[in-house]
Amino acid sequence: MKRLSLLFVCAFLSFACGDKESSGNTPTADPVLTITSESNIWFESEGGEGEITYTIENPQKGVSLTAESSFDWISNIIVGDSITYTVEENTTFDERRGTIVLKYGTQTKQVTIKQRTRFDLT
């Protein structure tokens, strides 16, 4: 009977003191999306190519970064190690302002694109 009690105590202690990380219940840190380039970017009236740099800490499996703009003069947005895009020439009399919205999971970041007018007299 003593052997059975001793065996039970050893089994209980082994289970109670086991490696908790092997249970799969270890918490993971939330991902963090950070824009590492300027968040306000100016273009001359001629337009051109732009780049946004970013980092993602604690990336989640199955989640990818997206970037989009609802402004038709900001186009060709490509997401890779950085985000590249094209700003069309501004032929209007007004400066213009648009945005590129970055999304990763539930996080959203915004970069403002500003463009001077061709007719800027300053």
Side-chain angles (χ1 to χ4, degrees), residues 34-41 51-54 111:
T34 304
I35 297 171
T36 56
S37 57
E38 295 294 321
S39 59
N40 290 294
I41 302 170
E51 179 182 41
I52 300 167
T53 57
Y54 66 91
V111 175

Side-chain angles (χ1 to χ4, degrees), residues 30-34 55-58 60 65-66 101-109:
D30 290 334
V32 178
L33 171 62
T34 304
T55 60
I56 299 174
E57 295 178 41
N58 310 314
Q60 291 181 325
L65 179 72
T66 62
V101 178
L102 287 65
K103 293 181 183 176
Y104 186 81
T106 60
Q107 295 182 60
T108 302
K109 302 286 182 181

Side-chain angles (χ1 to χ4, degrees), residues 58-122:
N58 310 314
Q60 291 181 325
K61 187 175 184 177
V63 178
S64 58
L65 179 72
T66 62
E68 59 186 28
S69 179
S70 61
F71 297 86
D72 62 352
W73 52 274
I74 302 171
S75 61
N76 300 322
I77 300 172
I78 300 171
V79 177
D81 291 336
S82 64
I83 299 165
T84 58
Y85 58 94
T86 303
V87 172
E88 304 295 326
E89 181 179 15
N90 185 1
T91 58
T92 70
F93 286 97
D94 298 314
E95 287 183 351
R96 57 188 178 184
R97 177 181 297 200
T99 56
I100 296 177
V101 178
L102 287 65
K103 293 181 183 176
Y104 186 81
T106 60
Q107 295 182 60
T108 302
K109 302 286 182 181
Q110 183 172 295
V111 175
T112 301
I113 309 298
K114 301 174 186 176
Q115 189 177 27
R116 293 178 172 81
T117 177
R118 164 183 270 180
F119 306 100
D120 191 3
L121 300 175
T122 59

Side-chain angles (χ1 to χ4, degrees), residues 8-21:
F8 178 73
V9 169
C10 288
F12 176 76
L13 289 175
S14 175
F15 176 76
C17 298
D19 183 11
K20 295 183 192 289
E21 288 186 28

